[in-house]
Amino acid sequence: MNPALKVSFEDTAIAFADKSDSELYKTYLLFAAMNNNSLVKMGGGMMKKALGWNLPVKGLIKKTIFEQFCGGETIQECKPTIERLGRSGIGTILDYSVEGESNEASFDHTVQEIIATIEMAATSEHIPFSVFKVTGVGDPALLTKAQTDQELTPAEKAAFGRVRARVKAICQRAFERGVRVFIDAEESWMQETIDQLCYDMMELYNQERPIVYNTYQLYRHDRLDVIKRDVERARKLGYYLGGKLVRGAYMEKEGRTAQQKGYQNPINPTKQATDALYDEALAYCVANIDRFAICAGTHNEQSSYLLMELMDQHNIAPNDERVYFAQLLGMSDNLSYNLAHAGYNVAKYVPYGPVEAVMPYLLRRADENTAIAGQSSREFSLVKKELERRRKK
C-alpha cells in the first residue's frame, strides 16, 4: 500500500495531540481574530505604535501572536518548544528573525548568533538544521550592486570580502560540527549574489554529504531551470547539492519592482503555475536523490502527498535523511504532526528574537494568514474541528 494513503491531514487528534484544551482554545481565538482582515491590519499598526511609544503591551504580544509563531526571545527560551516538538518526532530549525539592522556590528552579532544555533544543533537530537539570511550578515544594497555590472569601489570590495568571510565562518562551523545549514532565498535582484556564495560554500563543504543548502523559490518561473543547472554543476564538480524548495516570500515586492523598472516580472503569472512548477521540481529532485538532498518547505497538502508518493515510487524510506518536510511554527500542524507520526522527517521553523525586533516577521505571518487563499480559514476550521471532537468524547 502506498504509505501516503495511510496519512490523513484531516486527523486533528494527531495534529493537536500536544495541546491542552485551554491551549487549543487560545489558538482558536487567535486564528478567529486573524480571519478578520481589517482587524489584522488595524491591530498590527496599533502594536507597532504601542511598542514605539514604549507602552506596556509587550507581555500581551508575547502571550498571543508571539507565543503562536515564535519559540522565545533567546535560544534558551526556545528549549521548551524544542523539547515539545521533539516528543512528537518533529525537529526544530532555530531561525534568528531579527530584521532591519544593517551595520557591521549587527552583522557580526548575527554571525555569532547563527553559530550559537549550530552549536545547539550539534548537541541536540531535535535540531536537524540551522538557517540564516545573507542580508543578516551583509548590506542588501551591496549584495544588489554586486549582482550588476557596476564596479565596486575599494570600500565596497572590502565590505563584500567581509560578507564572504561571515558566510564562510558560519558554513565552516556547520561543517566542523556536522550540522546542515540553510541559506535562505531573498529578492531576485540580489539572489544571484547569494547563489554564487552558496555554490562556493558547497564546493568547500559538500564534498562528502550535503551540509550547505541553497533555497529555491518556485514562484519564480526560471527556478526549475536553475535547479537542473545546479544539479549538473554539482555532478561535474563532484559535490552534493542541498536544496530547500519553497513557493516564495516576496511576490508583491517583486511584481511592483519589475513594473517600476520596466523588466519582466520574474514571478509565475498564476498560483496554479507556481503549484505546478513546485511539484515538477519535487519530481526532478527526487529523481536525482543520489546527488540532491531535499527539504520541502511547504504548507500545501497536495505537494506533501505528492512527495510521499514520489518517495514510495523511488523506494526512498520515509526516514531517509535526504528528504525532509518543513513548516513554520504555529501553522499547518495537521501536516507536521501527521507526517511525523507516519515516520517522515519533519522540522518546524522556530523563529526567535526580542519581541520588538521580530514584529516585522509576526506581522507578515498575520498578513499571510489572511492573504493566502483559505489558509487562515483552514487553520481555524481544523482547530474548531478538534475542539468539537474533544467535546464529544
Side-chain angles (χ1 to χ4, degrees), residues 111-302:
V111 171
Q112 294 311 309
E113 193 69 34
I114 304 308
I115 285 174
T117 70
I118 290 168
E119 292 298 332
M120 172 79 92
T123 58
S124 172
E125 61 180 330
H126 301 314
I127 307 178
F129 301 95
S130 286
V131 62
F132 71 101
K133 279 183 164 65
V134 176
T135 52
V137 300
D139 185 351
L142 178 62
L143 301 175
T144 300
K145 187 173 180 181
Q147 187 163 307
T148 69
D149 293 329
Q150 299 175 68
E151 180 76 16
L152 297 182
T153 67
E156 288 170 336
K157 286 179 181 176
F160 191 76
R162 291 193 294 274
V163 175
R164 181 183 294 278
R166 293 183 188 113
V167 170
K168 188 177 182 202
I170 292 168
C171 294
Q172 184 168 330
R173 184 63 64 90
F175 173 76
E176 290 167 353
R177 302 294 273 148
V179 173
R180 292 162 292 186
V181 61
F182 295 142
I183 298 180
D184 270 346
E186 306 201 47
E187 292 93 340
S188 60
W189 46 87
M190 65 182 84
Q191 187 59 47
E192 287 175 28
T193 306
I194 294 165
D195 286 345
Q196 190 55 57
L197 288 166
C198 271
Y199 303 147
D200 293 347
M201 296 304 114
M202 286 181 182
E203 277 190 63
L204 282 172
Y205 302 118
N206 287 14
Q207 293 293 326
E208 296 177 6
R209 66 186 182 104
I211 290 289
V212 179
Y213 282 58
N214 202 358
T215 302
Y216 300 94
Q217 300 191 105
L218 272 304
Y219 71 171
R220 289 186 57 182
H221 51 68
D222 65 345
R223 289 302 93 177
L224 179 53
D225 291 335
V226 169
I227 289 172
K228 290 177 178 178
R229 181 198 70 195
D230 290 355
V231 168
E232 291 311 307
R233 186 178 191 277
R235 289 190 187 283
K236 181 180 176 183
L237 297 176
Y239 62 82
Y240 291 90
L241 192 64
K244 175 161 64 86
L245 274 56
V246 300
R247 277 170 168 77
Y250 307 99
M251 187 166 68
E252 290 180 6
K253 189 193 285 189
E254 289 280 3
R256 189 169 61 245
T257 304
Q259 188 174 29
Q260 288 169 353
K261 299 199 172 178
Y263 60 81
Q264 184 189 3
N265 190 340
I267 308 303
N268 282 313
T270 64
K271 168 84 163 57
Q272 290 77 11
T274 293
D275 290 343
L277 193 64
Y278 189 94
D279 290 349
E280 194 180 344
L282 284 179
Y284 178 81
C285 294
V286 171
N288 287 274
I289 197 71
D290 64 310
R291 188 57 59 175
F292 198 139
I294 311 156
C295 176
T298 183
H299 292 189
N300 186 287
E301 295 178 12
Q302 289 310 119

